[in-house]
Amino acid sequence: MARKTMVQAINEAISLKMQDDSTVVVMGEDVGVDGGVFRATDGLFEAFGAERVIDMPLAESSIMGSAIGMAINGLKPLVEIQFMGFLYQGFDQLLNNAARWRHRTLGQVGLPMVVRMPYGAGVRAVEHHSESTEAIIAHVPGLKVIAPSNPADAKGLLISAIEDPDPVVFLEPKRLYRIKKEEVPEDLYRIPIGKANVVNDGTDITLVAWGGMVPVCLDAAKHAENQGISTEVLDLRTVSPFDLEAIIKSVEKTGRLVIVHEAPRSFGVGAEIAALVGERCLLHLLAPIKRVTSYDIVPPLLKLENYNYPNAERVVRAIQQTMEF
Amino acid sequence: MARKTMVQAINEAISLKMQDDSTVVVMGEDVGVDGGVFRATDGLFEAFGAERVIDMPLAESSIMGSAIGMAINGLKPLVEIQFMGFLYQGFDQLLNNAARWRHRTLGQVGLPMVVRMPYGAGVRAVEHHSESTEAIIAHVPGLKVIAPSNPADAKGLLISAIEDPDPVVFLEPKRLYRIKKEEVPEDLYRIPIGKANVVNDGTDITLVAWGGMVPVCLDAAKHAENQGISTEVLDLRTVSPFDLEAIIKSVEKTGRLVIVHEAPRSFGVGAEIAALVGERCLLHLLAPIKRVTSYDIVPPLLKLENYNYPNAERVVRAIQQTMEF
Amino acid sequence: MKSDLMQILNEKGQCSKKPDLTLDQIKELYRRMVLTRTWNDKALSLQRQGRMGTLGSVKGQEASNVGMAFPLQKDDWFVPAFREFGALFVRGVSLKDQFRYWNGDERGGQMPAGSNITPTQVIVAGQLPHAAGIAFAKKIKKEPGMVLCALGDGATSQGDFHESMNMASLFNLPVVFVVQNNGWAISMPVHKQSASPTLAERAASYNMHGARVDGNDVFAVYEIIKKYADRARKEQKPALIELVTYRLSDHTTADDASRYRDPKEVAMWQKRDPIDRLRKYLQESEKWSDADEKAMVEQISQEVEDAVTEFESVTPMQPQEMFANMYHTLPWNLVEQQKEVMELYNGGEVK
Amino acid sequence: MKSDLMQILNEKGQCSKKPDLTLDQIKELYRRMVLTRTWNDKALSLQRQGRMGTLGSVKGQEASNVGMAFPLQKDDWFVPAFREFGALFVRGVSLKDQFRYWNGDERGGQMPAGSNITPTQVIVAGQLPHAAGIAFAKKIKKEPGMVLCALGDGATSQGDFHESMNMASLFNLPVVFVVQNNGWAISMPVHKQSASPTLAERAASYNMHGARVDGNDVFAVYEIIKKYADRARKEQKPALIELVTYRLSDHTTADDASRYRDPKEVAMWQKRDPIDRLRKYLQESEKWSDADEKAMVEQISQEVEDAVTEFESVTPMQPQEMFANMYHTLPWNLVEQQKEVMELYNGGEVK
Ligand SMILES: Cc1ncc(C[n+]2csc(CCOP(=O)(O)OP(=O)(O)O)c2C)c(N)n1
Ligand SMILES: Cc1ncc(C[n+]2csc(CCOP(=O)(O)OP(=O)(O)O)c2C)c(N)n1
Ligand SMILES: [Mg+2]
Ligand SMILES: [Mg+2]
């Protein structure tokens, strides 16, 4: 085991899968010679050559669409979209074609493709570099959405995603790309899609989060525990289909739920979680479900961005309000 | 007052606004000479000429993008997207530009544009002709989403949308386009955006719907009333920002809520409504909030489509289950 | 028609050169074209009777449809849009399945196993990047064969057209893009659709070969597709072919073309009918008799009628089949929903 | 450089013909170019000190930047991408505001009232349809003037490029698309980006005029833009202009170009520096003295330093300003959220 950043873990996952399965090809803008603007594909061009690590022209729709074509014809494309803000140039192909191919062919042809992209805040750049629009993708039947929260999960989940027979959108919280190194097993291991992970045990209240918000919740949980509130933190890992069973199990225990996400609140993923828990655990709820999220605005540029994204302080406040209800 | 179908009412709204305001221009595929594939723009080309009723090349991204340019430079473009399934070719421009222009220019330049499109089931056509993805648009800060449920509302809401200083997505339930004629006032009148309409008074349970599902709910309400269940039906009219106050008012009265939508359930608009009501009316709820929706699948072609969309039977079933909770 | 249009078989049924086809092949082309029209007419008539969903007719485009698919080989892929049933039939799709598909039964949209045909693509130009990707995979896997991608004139306006052309050329992909320029994209005539006077000349700006042929002349269509398909297979080079043809019918059964186009234009194109001219050629040059004609027409009519009977007697889909192919393994939400549907409609009818 | 490249001022500072500019105008061009580079260098140095956000440098593109904006008139619009600060300064944007913008203060992104400049567009090629639409509105409203739309070589691969070109030509819109072909789109050299050997020749397939000039020669840039801007104003005709220039720096401060390009290429282009050659021209043909140079450089440095001081002393934005311009009238959810932010951060600092 070596200590690795999340980007390094991702790089390792890709590299191992490319060695393991010759049908895996990497494609996207600047993924080849440059190794990706975040270096997630560093060294792969040298190791696997230009036919398996493809520097594509600057055109997201045809990147997505040609990946579909490759998957139709037996490859497993691993697409990098440079930032989630640029996904929407290629969204029509994702929504109207990638998501529907298995259905359209009546199960004859599934598309084992993965679309990776950094999402959320974390670089001090201009507009469109901090987006978190997983709710939009999650609403598309036929897709899966994953968002890891630490290096070891990123590796295991990415390997599972590449091996998954259906299209997976893999959201990488760029704020965690290099924030710290953690132990990452060396081998080719999988973390199951659709299963949540209890990252902090607790009995008074449940926090549900994924990707970049998990550390914020862990931080908030510490503060809450200092105040005597035993806080369970559930890392969803998979945003769609999310692990409803694990959420219900925890809420049945705690009776209280706060959902934390980096995306705007309205019509976000938190709403679906709240709606289902409300539907299925109404009588267990000791307080209304709260959502701590970004606001319903364009993600601010760097000067104001920290006022927009959930932080431990806001999560603790929501925990307190829920406890006091 | 004359009796009109919804398409005729829409046509009248556009025509009146074009007479009233010379900056209104209509643009889209087949909207000119042909009068639109549903005839919503019938006669406008003859009345207002090729410079105000523009037959655009088959390219949704530049239709949306050039409408933005027109709005920047003082026009009020009224874009027709032929079917909601084809919106996503132009979605990047809607999400990354139209929705953000006022914000990006710090309030200097708002975009008074409307993007109309037929949505939902109702034509016996191939794939991509029955989509209902309002949740995706509603999640985009900076946009508004409207879906009328009858001819008179369609006219009044469309006039309000055209006059609105911000970009509005106007969803027309194609299943109601010609289903019946109703009284439509002749003049240029407005129905306010963001306000719901109680279309059936009741005290036992609240149904919330919009667009094509309102008649289904009215039908279900009749059945329920025959069974002695007094059912309030709220027609949202505006999907985003929706009239939370009206929903809460009704739920505080009835204590029970069923949300009905034509879109797939998961991560749909119903989730946001349920989440907010759960958050703000928890103690008023006598039963869990139910959602009656399409399933999380690709809209089926005509043979199976009626099994997918909510019908009165399914709504009545949900009403009963809620009453019996 | 523009003089720069390659033509072999003219409207009078005369050939400027001997086509590079055996008599049997020519008869087969003819049979396929008549079959396509017969199927098409039948589908339209079923639609009028409420026995078929909304449908786009290929009438007038039979030479383009059949001629483009004829030169394809086993390893080749065919990537259609939605107005190519004639080509699908050549590639082995059954008449019955196309009836089912257009009547809203998903099962009819499934292409025969191993046929290397992608499903009907309704998103205009959406199929172009798929074709490029399939060709890319061929190249990466060093597979033989090429990819033929069909599109309409309207599709050339879409961003996906541009991106795919650029990509195909940059990576030298074995893909041939074939535009059926039928003059119209619903109500938009091609001169209002495309700023380039011909569509074929778009090829130059991608450093690609382009060609423009009479799309109602099946010999010309066959020859040009064969030439560029061979080139793609051998040299891994893409190309853009424009087939100049005409949509004789409305855009679909939901359309009324009399609102936007001059009947004189339609009449003019009727004289250029692809089937009539091939029949004349056969009659005049190949001793095709009235009896031959009659026998063939009867056989085809029977084939189509049989397909109708077959298609109308298939077991209806079960409601729960809506869910079956959303994922390899259904997630919990779909499992629940499928269960609900089975409870609701178990054997019964939806209201 | 390719021989088909229009050039007036060569790398040695010699002119092939007298530029159609007064001496004062030439000096102003020179001053603007030096100002652009000075601002640029300052911004990069602030970035290294953590006093500036991620930023793309225009170093090497000053002639293109300044030359494209110089011929614009009051009624004209300028629709930029993101690597045109030099042009923005010419059109009246303040040095201070650009500092603010790139340091993540939205207020700096607001263009001066009435300047007819659209905000920085980060979505590659996203601005092209806007430019077409602004030009369309001009045409509909019968307004004078034209629209100049800037883009990079990478942007030509996007669907929005194609769709906008087609549309501009079909409707005869008064818009000129100017590609700063700086050789690279992050790590992609233009020959891997575009299948057409030159970008200007793409114009032909849209039945549009195209031109290709030395983008490091401010006289050529000025002349070609002036010519096509005049034509657009008078004849309502679009055009596509390629300015062949070079990105001397990394793509942005977050990039490391040494990973993907040969330092020899950079060195070669350094010899073609647009500022050096104009200085040589001024010195040799227009009696520009060392003292003139020194005075100008000092004045510019002072101007830039003043802008830094000013930009660093503006009142910070208040958190609640995040909401202010989402809609003309804030809906209830934003009113609530704004209130929450005011409660949370009222005067205080975010943790
Ligand atoms: C992206 C998209 N936009 C709009 C439509 C609606 N539509 C269906 S066919 C068509 C015209 C297509 O014209 P063309 O490509 O020439 O093909 P043809 O119908 O003539 O075969 C349009 C606009 C669509 N299917 N997809
Ligand atoms: C739609 C989209 N995709 C990707 C990016 C990321 N990106 C920013 S600049 C750039 C390269 C642009 O190249 P070019 O158009 O030549 O402009 P230059 O940077 O050379 O000025 C890329 C890929 C983006 N901003 N927008
Ligand atoms: Mg056509
Ligand atoms: Mg560039």
Side-chain angles (χ1 to χ4, degrees):
Chain A
M1 281 241 283
R3 296 181 68 79
K4 297 209 161 65
T5 63
M6 187 184 283
V7 184
Q8 288 167 336
I10 288 167
N11 184 277
E12 189 171 87
I14 304 173
S15 180
L16 286 174
K17 272 311 296 178
M18 290 187 80
Q19 285 165 46
D20 174 62
D21 181 348
S22 67
T23 65
V24 176
V25 296
V26 164
M27 59 196 292
E29 292 161 13
D30 308 291
V31 296
V33 181
D34 192 35
V37 295
F38 286 104
R39 310 287 174 253
T41 55
D42 193 23
L44 301 179
F45 182 84
E46 293 73 15
F48 300 99
E51 291 217 322
R52 288 187 64 199
V53 185
I54 309 167
D55 271 324
M56 294 292 289
L58 210 176
E60 284 80 6
S61 185
S62 57
I63 291 175
M64 198 72 82
S66 63
I68 291 170
M70 290 184 194
I72 291 169
N73 194 12
L75 298 180
K76 295 200 182 78
L78 177 55
V79 173
E80 177 175 305
I81 295 289
Q82 208 158 65
F83 284 85
M84 192 171 195
F86 310 138
L87 171 64
Y88 293 94
Q89 299 264 9
F91 188 56
D92 171 69
Q93 286 288 352
L94 186 67
L95 162 121
N96 278 330
N97 279 300
R100 295 173 167 215
W101 210 267
R102 179 182 296 281
H103 177 78
R104 200 180 287 152
T105 61
L106 279 93
Q108 222 173 31
V109 184
L111 301 185
M113 59 189 276
V114 177
V115 185
R116 294 178 41 241
M117 69 200 82
Y119 86 100
V123 291
R124 298 161 51 87
V126 284
E127 219 190 317
H128 309 292
H129 288 75
S130 304
E131 275 61 17
S132 181
T133 48
E134 62 271 29
I136 292 180
I137 311 171
H139 187 54
V140 180
L143 300 178
K144 296 180 182 177
V145 185
I146 292 176
S149 72
N150 62 66
D153 278 14
K155 182 176 166 187
L157 286 166
L158 183 52
I159 290 169
S160 296
I162 297 173
E163 294 177 352
D164 196 274
D166 288 306
V168 176
V169 174
F170 194 84
L171 301 176
E172 300 169 2
K174 65 176 93 69
R175 60 165 83 225
L176 304 184
Y177 262 161
R178 293 172 212 286
I179 202 159
K180 59 178 173 181
K181 294 196 174 186
E182 285 178 23
E183 296 296 333
V184 176
E186 312 269 334
D187 59 329
L188 193 71
Y189 62 94
R190 287 100 190 149
I191 292 180
I193 295 176
K195 293 274 166 244
N197 189 23
V198 179
V199 288
N200 198 57
D201 281 310
T203 51
D204 294 331
I205 188 163
T206 304
L207 300 183
V208 167
W210 53 92
M213 290 297 106
V214 173
V216 171
C217 287
L218 286 171
D219 196 10
K222 261 198 219 104
H223 282 89
E225 271 158 30
N226 290 340
Q227 298 168 27
I229 306 168
S230 166
T231 305
E232 181 138 304
V233 181
L234 211 60
D235 176 354
L236 275 194
R237 285 177 166 167
T238 298
V239 175
S240 172
F242 59 69
D243 189 348
L244 180 62
E245 211 180 298
I247 299 173
I248 288 181
K249 195 175 147 203
S250 181
V251 174
E252 283 179 351
K253 175 171 65 176
T254 63
R256 297 182 187 87
L257 175 61
V258 174
I259 304 154
V260 182
H261 62 63
E262 192 166 345
R265 187 194 69 191
S266 293
F267 310 94
V269 168
E272 182 63 32
I273 298 172
L276 283 170
V277 172
E279 185 191 271
R280 300 182 188 201
C281 306
L282 186 65
L283 301 184
H284 287 94
L285 284 178
L286 303 172
I289 300 166
K290 275 208 169 293
R291 289 177 283 166
V292 180
T293 68
S294 286
Y295 300 109
D296 295 336
I297 60 175
V298 175
L301 301 186
L302 67 95
K303 287 287 171 193
L304 292 185
E305 66 174 8
N306 288 336
Y307 295 102
N308 183 41
Y309 302 115
N311 52 29
E313 193 184 355
R314 278 176 61 198
V315 178
V316 170
R317 190 169 175 256
I319 292 174
Q320 286 163 345
Q321 289 169 339
T322 306
M323 294 305 299
E324 286 159 17
F325 179 80
Chain B
M1 280 237 285
R3 295 181 70 78
K4 297 209 160 65
T5 63
M6 187 184 283
V7 184
Q8 288 168 336
I10 287 167
N11 183 277
E12 188 171 87
I14 303 173
S15 180
L16 286 173
K17 271 312 295 178
M18 289 187 80
Q19 286 166 44
D20 174 63
D21 180 348
S22 66
T23 65
V24 177
V25 296
V26 165
M27 59 196 292
E29 292 160 13
D30 308 292
V31 296
V33 180
D34 191 35
V37 296
F38 286 104
R39 310 286 175 254
T41 56
D42 193 22
L44 301 178
F45 183 84
E46 294 73 15
F48 300 100
E51 291 217 322
R52 289 187 65 199
V53 185
I54 309 167
D55 270 326
M56 294 291 289
L58 211 176
E60 285 80 5
S61 185
S62 57
I63 291 175
M64 198 72 82
S66 62
I68 292 170
M70 290 185 194
I72 291 169
N73 194 13
L75 298 181
K76 295 200 182 79
L78 177 54
V79 174
E80 176 175 305
I81 294 289
Q82 209 158 65
F83 284 86
M84 192 172 195
F86 311 138
L87 172 65
Y88 293 94
Q89 298 263 10
F91 188 55
D92 171 70
Q93 286 288 352
L94 186 67
L95 163 119
N96 278 330
N97 278 301
R100 294 174 169 215
W101 210 267
R102 180 183 296 282
H103 177 78
R104 200 180 286 152
T105 61
L106 281 92
Q108 223 172 29
V109 184
L111 301 185
M113 60 189 274
V114 177
V115 186
R116 294 177 42 242
M117 68 200 81
Y119 86 100
V123 290
R124 297 160 53 87
V126 284
E127 219 191 317
H128 309 292
H129 288 74
S130 305
E131 275 60 18
S132 181
T133 47
E134 62 271 28
I136 291 180
I137 311 171
H139 188 54
V140 179
L143 301 177
K144 296 181 183 175
V145 185
I146 291 176
S149 70
N150 62 67
D153 277 15
K155 180 175 167 186
L157 285 165
L158 183 52
I159 290 169
S160 295
I162 297 173
E163 293 177 354
D164 196 275
D166 287 306
V168 177
V169 174
F170 194 84
L171 301 177
E172 302 169 1
K174 65 174 94 67
R175 60 166 82 227
L176 305 184
Y177 261 161
R178 294 172 211 285
I179 202 159
K180 58 179 172 180
K181 293 197 176 187
E182 284 178 23
E183 296 295 332
V184 176
E186 313 269 334
D187 59 330
L188 193 71
Y189 63 92
R190 287 101 190 147
I191 291 179
I193 296 175
K195 292 276 166 243
N197 188 25
V198 179
V199 288
N200 198 57
D201 281 309
T203 50
D204 294 331
I205 188 164
T206 304
L207 300 183
V208 168
W210 52 93
M213 289 298 106
V214 173
V216 171
C217 287
L218 286 171
D219 196 11
K222 260 196 222 110
H223 282 90
E225 271 158 30
N226 290 341
Q227 298 168 26
I229 305 167
S230 165
T231 305
E232 180 138 307
V233 181
L234 212 59
D235 176 354
L236 274 195
R237 285 176 167 169
T238 299
V239 175
S240 172
F242 59 70
D243 189 348
L244 180 62
E245 212 179 298
I247 300 172
I248 288 181
K249 196 174 147 205
S250 180
V251 174
E252 282 179 353
K253 176 170 64 175
T254 63
R256 298 181 188 86
L257 176 60
V258 173
I259 305 155
V260 182
H261 62 64
E262 193 166 344
R265 186 193 70 191
S266 293
F267 310 95
V269 168
E272 182 63 30
I273 298 172
L276 282 170
V277 172
E279 185 191 273
R280 300 183 187 200
C281 306
L282 186 64
L283 301 184
H284 287 93
L285 284 178
L286 303 172
I289 300 166
K290 276 210 169 291
R291 290 178 282 166
V292 180
T293 68
S294 286
Y295 301 109
D296 295 336
I297 60 176
V298 174
L301 301 186
L302 67 94
K303 286 288 171 191
L304 293 184
E305 66 175 8
N306 288 336
Y307 296 101
N308 184 40
Y309 302 114
N311 52 28
E313 194 185 355
R314 279 176 61 197
V315 177
V316 170
R317 190 169 177 255
I319 292 174
Q320 287 163 342
Q321 289 168 338
T322 306
M323 292 306 298
E324 286 158 18
F325 179 79
Chain C
M1 262 184 230
K2 290 252 174 71
S3 56
D4 62 339
L5 201 65
M6 198 265 266
Q7 192 189 58
I8 297 174
L9 179 67
N10 73 14
E11 292 143 41
K12 300 187 188 113
Q14 299 153 340
C15 274
S16 59
K17 65 168 191 183
K18 178 119 192 59
D20 189 18
L21 288 155
T22 65
L23 179 56
D24 276 353
Q25 283 179 314
I26 295 174
K27 285 186 186 162
E28 178 64 8
L29 284 171
Y30 181 58
R31 198 185 72 80
R32 290 274 176 199
M33 285 165 62
V34 176
L35 175 69
T36 301
R37 182 163 299 181
T38 309
W39 184 93
N40 190 72
D41 289 348
K42 187 75 206 177
L44 294 179
S45 112
L46 292 173
Q47 195 281 334
R48 280 188 297 270
Q49 300 161 40
R51 291 158 68 194
M52 182 58 59
T54 305
L55 173 94
S57 155
V58 297
K59 190 166 181 186
Q61 299 178 219
E62 293 87 352
S64 290
N65 263 245
V66 171
M68 76 166 80
F70 215 69
L72 294 185
Q73 301 176 356
K74 191 169 177 328
D75 292 324
D76 298 337
W77 280 75
F78 181 56
V79 179
F82 45 80
R83 206 184 293 280
E84 293 92 10
F85 344 117
L88 296 180
F89 297 149
V90 173
R91 291 288 284 172
V93 173
S94 72
L95 305 185
K96 175 192 80 174
D97 275 349
Q98 278 293 294
F99 279 136
R100 286 161 89 189
Y101 176 69
W102 292 99
N103 196 33
D105 180 334
E106 278 85 355
R107 295 170 302 180
Q110 192 183 45
M111 298 297 161
S115 64
N116 291 351
I117 310 175
T118 53
T120 295
Q121 175 71 209
V122 176
I123 299 293
V124 169
Q127 75 279 18
L128 275 75
H130 308 162
I134 293 170
F136 213 143
K138 270 192 175 300
K139 196 172 168 164
I140 292 170
K141 299 194 287 173
K142 303 194 178 23
E143 275 175 7
M146 52 77 68
V147 180
L148 189 79
C149 178
L151 57 143
D153 44 292
T156 64
S157 293
Q158 287 279 22
D160 273 349
F161 169 82
H162 172 68
E163 297 185 10
S164 305
M165 293 285 288
N166 191 44
M167 181 183 160
S169 177
L170 279 167
F171 292 104
N172 285 313
L173 303 179
V175 54
V176 176
F177 298 103
V178 188
V179 187
Q180 290 192 83
N181 176 359
N182 64 4
W184 294 88
I186 309 188
S187 72
M188 279 290 270
V190 65
H191 69 269
K192 286 176 70 183
Q193 182 73 253
S194 170
S196 69
T198 72
L199 300 175
E201 70 199 72
R202 284 252 158 94
S205 85
Y206 305 102
N207 208 9
M208 202 190 271
H209 281 214
R212 187 161 183 266
V213 310
D214 182 345
N216 286 3
D217 164 0
V218 74
F219 298 154
V221 174
Y222 172 81
E223 183 174 302
I224 201 81
I225 300 290
K226 184 164 187 318
K227 173 177 159 184
Y228 282 103
D230 283 343
R231 179 169 171 268
R233 288 185 208 103
K234 278 178 212 140
E235 299 172 37
Q236 306 261 307
K237 286 278 165 62
L240 175 69
I241 315 293
E242 177 183 359
L243 308 178
V244 180
T245 179
Y246 195 76
R247 196 194 80 206
L248 284 174
S249 309
D250 296 331
H251 170 69
T252 65
T253 51
D255 178 47
D256 171 8
S258 72
R259 292 175 65 90
Y260 53 77
R261 72 180 181 184
D262 191 341
K264 281 191 216 121
E265 183 185 284
V266 184
M268 187 183 77
W269 278 93
Q270 242 137 9
K271 293 195 195 117
R272 296 179 186 156
D273 191 280
I275 295 183
D276 288 351
R277 72 171 85 167
L278 187 55
R279 184 184 318 106
K280 281 184 204 151
Y281 170 82
L282 281 170
Q283 287 167 341
E284 279 157 40
S285 314
E286 306 287 1
K287 312 204 178 80
W288 180 256
S289 69
D290 287 356
D292 291 337
E293 175 78 13
K294 191 160 168 262
M296 186 196 73
V297 166
E298 271 170 17
Q299 182 272 321
I300 286 175
S301 301
Q302 193 55 51
E303 197 177 331
V304 170
E305 286 307 327
D306 290 349
V308 174
T309 313
E310 226 192 318
F311 127 72
E312 291 196 325
S313 58
V314 295
T315 342
M317 271 185 294
Q318 293 303 306
Q320 63 272 23
E321 290 182 58
M322 300 187 290
F323 300 91
N325 300 303
M326 286 306 303
Y327 293 90
H328 178 272
T329 309
L330 292 191
W332 63 266
N333 54 324
L334 289 176
V335 171
E336 283 186 10
Q337 294 175 12
Q338 192 176 33
K339 208 168 136 239
E340 176 183 307
V341 164
M342 287 193 287
E343 277 167 33
L344 279 170
Y345 305 113
N346 186 15
E349 260 307 291
V350 67
K351 289 209 187 120
Chain D
M1 261 186 235
K2 292 253 173 73
S3 56
D4 63 338
L5 202 65
M6 198 265 267
Q7 190 188 59
I8 297 174
L9 179 68
N10 72 14
E11 291 144 40
K12 299 187 188 114
Q14 298 153 341
C15 275
S16 59
K17 66 169 189 182
K18 178 118 191 58
D20 189 19
L21 288 155
T22 65
L23 179 55
D24 277 353
Q25 284 179 314
I26 296 173
K27 285 187 187 161
E28 180 61 9
L29 284 171
Y30 182 58
R31 197 186 72 80
R32 290 276 176 195
M33 286 164 63
V34 175
L35 175 69
T36 301
R37 182 164 299 180
T38 310
W39 184 93
N40 190 72
D41 289 349
K42 187 75 206 178
L44 295 179
S45 113
L46 290 173
Q47 195 279 336
R48 280 188 297 269
Q49 299 160 40
R51 292 157 68 193
M52 181 60 57
T54 306
L55 173 94
S57 156
V58 298
K59 191 165 179 185
Q61 300 179 217
E62 294 87 351
S64 290
N65 262 243
V66 170
M68 76 166 80
F70 215 71
L72 294 185
Q73 301 175 357
K74 194 173 174 328
D75 292 324
D76 298 338
W77 280 76
F78 181 56
V79 179
F82 46 79
R83 206 183 293 280
E84 294 91 9
F85 343 117
L88 296 180
F89 297 150
V90 173
R91 291 288 284 173
V93 173
S94 73
L95 305 186
K96 176 192 79 173
D97 276 350
Q98 277 293 295
F99 278 136
R100 285 161 88 190
Y101 176 69
W102 292 98
N103 197 33
D105 180 334
E106 279 83 356
R107 294 171 302 180
Q110 192 182 45
M111 298 297 161
S115 64
N116 292 351
I117 311 176
T118 53
T120 295
Q121 176 70 209
V122 176
I123 299 293
V124 169
Q127 74 279 17
L128 274 77
H130 309 163
I134 293 170
F136 214 143
K138 269 191 175 300
K139 198 172 165 162
I140 293 170
K141 299 195 287 173
K142 304 195 176 23
E143 275 175 7
M146 52 76 69
V147 180
L148 189 79
C149 178
L151 57 142
D153 44 292
T156 64
S157 293
Q158 288 278 22
D160 273 350
F161 169 82
H162 172 67
E163 297 185 9
S164 305
M165 293 285 288
N166 190 43
M167 181 184 161
S169 177
L170 279 168
F171 292 104
N172 285 314
L173 303 179
V175 54
V176 175
F177 298 102
V178 188
V179 187
Q180 292 192 81
N181 176 357
N182 63 4
W184 294 87
I186 310 188
S187 71
M188 279 289 270
V190 65
H191 69 270
K192 286 176 69 182
Q193 184 71 252
S194 171
S196 68
T198 73
L199 300 175
E201 70 198 73
R202 285 253 159 95
S205 85
Y206 305 101
N207 208 7
M208 203 190 271
H209 281 213
R212 188 161 183 266
V213 309
D214 181 346
N216 285 2
D217 164 1
V218 75
F219 297 155
V221 174
Y222 172 81
E223 184 173 301
I224 200 81
I225 300 290
K226 184 166 187 316
K227 174 178 158 183
Y228 282 103
D230 283 343
R231 177 169 171 270
R233 286 185 208 105
K234 278 177 214 143
E235 300 172 38
Q236 307 260 309
K237 287 277 164 61
L240 175 69
I241 314 292
E242 177 182 2
L243 309 177
V244 180
T245 178
Y246 196 76
R247 195 195 80 206
L248 285 172
S249 310
D250 295 333
H251 170 69
T252 64
T253 51
D255 177 48
D256 172 8
S258 72
R259 292 174 66 92
Y260 53 76
R261 72 180 181 184
D262 190 342
K264 280 190 216 120
E265 183 185 285
V266 183
M268 187 184 76
W269 278 94
Q270 241 138 9
K271 293 195 197 116
R272 296 176 185 159
D273 191 280
I275 295 183
D276 288 351
R277 71 172 85 167
L278 187 56
R279 184 185 316 106
K280 281 184 205 151
Y281 170 81
L282 281 169
Q283 286 167 341
E284 280 157 40
S285 315
E286 305 287 0
K287 312 204 180 79
W288 180 257
S289 69
D290 287 356
D292 291 336
E293 175 79 13
K294 194 161 167 260
M296 187 196 74
V297 166
E298 273 171 13
Q299 182 271 322
I300 286 174
S301 302
Q302 193 55 51
E303 199 178 329
V304 171
E305 286 305 330
D306 290 350
V308 174
T309 313
E310 228 191 316
F311 129 71
E312 291 197 324
S313 58
V314 294
T315 341
M317 270 184 296
Q318 292 303 305
Q320 63 272 22
E321 290 181 58
M322 299 188 290
F323 300 91
N325 300 302
M326 286 306 304
Y327 293 90
H328 178 272
T329 309
L330 291 191
W332 63 265
N333 55 322
L334 289 175
V335 171
E336 283 186 10
Q337 293 175 13
Q338 192 176 35
K339 206 167 138 241
E340 175 182 308
V341 163
M342 287 193 287
E343 276 167 34
L344 279 170
Y345 306 114
N346 185 15
E349 261 306 290
V350 67
K351 288 212 188 117

